[in-house]
Amino acid sequence: MPSITVSELEYAPPASDSLFFDISFGIAPGDRAALVGANGVGKSTILRILSGELIPDEGEFAVGGTMLTMTQDVGMSRPDSTIRDMLLEVALPELRTAGRKMIAAEEAMLDGSDDGMAFAEAITEWGDLGGYELESQWAAAVERSIKSSVEDLNTRRIGDLSGGERKRLVLDLLFNSTADVLLLDEPDNYLDIPTRVWLENQLAASDKTILMVSHDRSLLERCANKIVVIEGSGCWVHGGSYATFPDARAQRQRLLGNALKRWNDEERRLYAHMKVMKARAAQNFKNATKANAAETRWEKFVAAGPPPPPVNDQNIHVNLRGADSARRVLVLKDVSVADLFFPFSDEVHFGERVGLIGPNGTGKTHLLRALAGETSPDLGSIRLGPRTSIGTFTQINDRPDFLGRDAVDIVRDRVPDDEQAMKRLARYGLGNNARQEFETMSGGQKARLEILCLELEGHNVLLLDEPTDNLDIESSEALELALDGFQGTVIAVSHDRTFLARLDRFVMINDDGDVYSLPDFEIAMAALSKPNNVSSLKFAKKLTR
């Protein structure tokens, strides 16, 4: 039966302490389960263990049926490779191996290092395993997922596709595959809202067993029927949707009782874990190091005395202060960027929260970069109001000035001393990452650090490109709360519907290049559901001539 069983899983990255231990849960056939937890607790690592990419230090797991995996950065790391290369990465293992062998043999034949016999054998193996049927599936998925014409998967580069097109293409293949089990790491990242709705429909209709990592609260509420929560060093399971999860977690915390009971429960768990490891060490001396580590962990715990609750909330505190500026913050006059949309005019006033929305590839990020002054519009002009200070957040945390530097050094540039830098990092849940280089951080940790720097720089206009994409849910909520109290102006590109619901008004660019002003969230969502017929909506105002 297509199911997932995990028992007492433990993993420590090389030269590091355990990332987690005592991870146990089960996913029944047909379940759509979500792994949730703070950035850096090991959600993606668990998926990598289940896929066979990583080997756990302890514990067991079993996956019933055939399995396919989509990584968080699928198609992003090698933009110069071909679409065929990307699609092979999400094929069943035997087809993946045969496909790579066929490509290598083809290259050898073309460069003259082989006479073609190896290529003939590779093609035969590819066909025998069902490779030609898979190519037909690829062609159908490409037709459904990619806007532009694709004549040859073997030569078309991944970099020619948007991030959303890459994700949509891979997801289409996975849902239409013969796999029984799907592991999906951040499947919603880079997807626009219409495609996220498509993903939700695919999840709801699928009879596959699915385990996914996602921070999209709307998607989790609508699709997940089981929540596996990674907290502390272990986990627990909520057997319902995310809509009921916050109340369930609050109830769980209440049932844990007072601090002494919580401490006693944790002490007994650590003691039992230590005894198990000691027993294993007695049978196999190779386990002695892990047994000693378990004993040290228990002894340190006991020596520290009764602690706070075993599952501490992150308490991320974002304090975006801002400052006053002129009433007219930005004035756009007949602006067009890279021929992606028709020239339009608009004004942004102090204190507004404006959402830039629309399908992928319509120019939202290009417009945001022009507003930031990073590029110039091809047509028209953008004028900043007096006393305007702009801070930007990049979707992919593209900060060359941060590379090769520790988090504390980056923050130290913006505060008086190391002590203040450490306090700020701790307030963002980054205290333990103070000496970690920026490029080795998780996507969520990078995002938090970038937002902290925005806070310390004290801008009164924030241009945010997908600010919640890599943030865990608690961090997203902390950012939203901070933006509510921010004394300044916010312009954000986002496909996070929970985030967008807190903004004041919206500017939408559709596939035809038309630009519309939409006065509230409900009208904006209605416009996205029929982007080529926005003019029919009441209160939708066309900004292009």
Side-chain angles (χ1 to χ4, degrees):
M1 293 290 287
S3 60
I4 302 172
T5 304
V6 174
S7 178
E8 298 182 356
L9 215 60
E10 178 174 356
Y11 180 77
S16 300
D17 295 332
S18 287
L19 183 60
F20 51 73
F21 66 94
D22 197 21
I23 298 290
S24 301
F25 61 87
I27 308 299
D31 272 350
R32 299 181 301 277
L35 280 172
V36 304
N39 293 133
V41 297
K43 302 185 294 296
S44 295
T45 300
I46 292 172
L47 293 188
R48 293 172 68 191
I49 289 173
L50 295 179
S51 70
E53 183 183 348
L54 295 177
I55 299 174
D57 296 320
E58 296 292 341
E60 300 176 343
F61 66 91
V63 178
T66 56
M67 178 181 66
L68 288 175
T69 303
M70 187 185 77
T71 61
Q72 185 174 348
D73 60 351
V74 62
M76 304 298 172
S77 58
R78 295 188 302 150
D80 290 335
S81 59
T82 67
I83 295 178
R84 177 178 63 175
D85 295 332
M86 179 182 74
L87 298 184
L88 272 177
E89 292 302 313
V90 291
L92 291 171
E94 60 271 18
L95 274 167
R96 190 184 316 146
T97 300
R100 289 171 178 168
K101 186 186 299 184
M102 181 176 64
I103 292 172
E106 181 182 29
E107 292 173 349
M109 182 180 65
L110 292 174
D111 67 19
S113 60
D114 183 81
D115 61 4
M117 290 298 297
F119 182 60
E121 293 175 2
I123 279 188
T124 301
E125 182 182 8
W126 174 252
D128 290 344
L129 290 171
Y132 295 120
E133 290 82 355
L134 181 60
E135 288 181 17
S136 296
Q137 294 173 25
W138 288 354
V142 165
E143 183 71 23
R144 291 188 294 263
S145 305
I146 298 177
K147 297 175 184 177
S148 59
S149 174
V150 178
E151 296 180 359
D152 188 358
L153 300 179
N154 302 341
T155 58
R156 181 76 178 269
R157 301 295 172 185
I158 298 175
D160 295 338
L161 309 181
S162 70
E165 286 179 320
R166 300 174 211 182
K167 277 283 181 84
R168 163 71 192 254
L169 174 57
V170 170
L171 286 166
D172 189 301
L173 274 173
L174 295 183
F175 282 115
N176 288 286
S177 71
T178 59
D180 303 305
V181 178
L182 299 182
L183 304 180
L184 308 177
D185 195 358
E186 301 280 8
D188 47 274
N189 272 13
Y190 298 101
L191 299 185
D192 55 30
I193 291 176
T195 311
R196 291 190 186 209
V197 173
W198 169 85
L199 171 59
E200 290 170 2
N201 292 335
Q202 294 294 312
L203 287 167
S206 178
D207 59 359
K208 301 179 187 298
T209 302
I210 297 171
L211 180 61
M212 59 184 169
V213 174
S214 175
H215 299 139
D216 186 320
R217 288 155 287 180
S218 296
L219 183 147
L220 292 176
E221 288 177 1
R222 293 168 181 164
C223 298
N225 64 356
K226 178 175 288 186
I227 308 296
V228 180
V229 191
I230 311 300
E231 291 188 309
S233 299
C235 76
W236 61 280
V237 176
H238 170 56
S241 81
Y242 189 79
T244 58
F245 166 69
D247 289 341
R249 185 178 184 277
Q251 176 67 8
R252 180 177 184 271
Q253 290 290 77
R254 285 193 291 271
L255 292 177
L256 287 174
N258 59 39
L260 180 60
K261 180 181 183 304
R262 290 193 293 268
W263 186 85
N264 285 333
D265 289 345
E266 183 71 356
E267 186 274 333
R268 284 194 292 270
R269 188 174 75 88
L270 289 172
Y271 181 79
H273 180 68
M274 182 265 291
K275 296 294 285 185
V276 168
M277 297 307 299
K278 287 282 189 181
R280 291 177 181 172
Q283 296 174 356
N284 186 340
F285 73 95
K286 292 182 179 180
N287 290 318
T289 300
K290 294 174 182 175
N292 291 336
E295 183 174 25
T296 300
R297 187 186 298 125
W298 170 71
E299 289 174 345
K300 287 183 177 179
F301 183 89
V302 172
V311 179
N312 291 319
D313 292 331
Q314 288 194 85
N315 286 325
I316 305 298
H317 180 60
V318 182
N319 182 23
L320 296 167
R321 296 180 298 278
D324 192 15
S325 70
R327 178 177 175 274
R328 286 196 292 188
V329 173
L330 285 164
V331 178
L332 293 81
K333 183 68 173 176
D334 296 325
V335 169
S336 179
V337 180
D339 293 326
L340 291 166
F341 46 82
F342 293 113
F344 78 100
S345 300
D346 197 10
E347 290 185 0
V348 178
H349 297 157
F350 175 74
E352 281 193 307
R353 273 72 173 136
V354 181
L356 294 180
I357 60 172
N360 281 332
T362 53
K364 301 182 297 296
T365 295
H366 287 77
L367 176 56
L368 207 65
R369 293 181 62 197
L371 296 179
E374 297 173 13
T375 61
S376 299
D378 294 275
L379 295 173
S381 63
I382 298 173
R383 191 174 77 251
L384 301 181
R387 305 188 306 282
T388 297
S389 172
I390 291 180
T392 61
F393 176 94
T394 60
Q395 180 182 8
I396 56 174
N397 310 121
D398 182 18
R399 294 297 298 258
D401 53 323
F402 289 1
L403 296 180
R405 306 186 65 199
D406 294 346
V408 69
D409 294 331
I410 293 169
V411 176
R412 180 66 180 79
D413 290 344
R414 295 161 174 84
V415 295
D417 52 49
D418 287 346
E419 182 180 355
Q420 291 298 316
M422 290 299 297
K423 286 181 178 179
R424 302 302 197 280
L425 287 167
R427 183 155 53 78
Y428 274 68
L430 296 171
N432 293 333
N433 309 100
R435 293 300 175 186
Q436 186 173 349
E437 287 191 356
F438 177 74
E439 52 266 44
T440 67
M441 291 179 162
S442 71
Q445 290 163 343
K446 290 177 181 177
R448 275 187 266 165
L449 179 59
E450 194 168 352
I451 293 168
L452 170 57
C453 290
L454 283 180
E455 172 189 314
L456 298 176
E457 289 161 5
H459 305 287
N460 56 15
V461 178
L462 300 181
L463 304 180
L464 310 177
D465 194 358
E466 299 287 3
T468 62
D469 246 16
N470 289 309
L471 291 180
D472 58 55
I473 292 169
E474 289 184 6
S475 299
S476 294
E477 291 172 346
L479 173 62
E480 291 160 0
L481 185 63
L483 291 175
D484 284 346
F486 173 60
Q487 185 185 1
T489 306
V490 177
I491 303 174
V493 173
S494 179
H495 300 300
D496 181 339
R497 287 155 289 181
T498 308
F499 176 85
L500 289 172
R502 305 178 79 116
L503 304 184
D504 300 331
R505 69 177 181 93
F506 300 86
V507 173
M508 175 179 168
I509 309 172
N510 68 11
D511 284 323
D512 295 330
D514 290 320
V515 183
Y516 292 87
S517 175
L518 307 166
D520 61 39
F521 176 72
E522 296 300 327
I523 293 177
M525 293 303 102
L528 286 169
S529 68
K530 46 182 179 180
N532 296 321
N533 194 22
V534 182
S535 296
S536 66
L537 294 173
K538 190 177 181 181
F539 303 119
K541 178 184 177 184
K542 191 172 182 179
L543 298 177
T544 46
R545 295 194 298 271

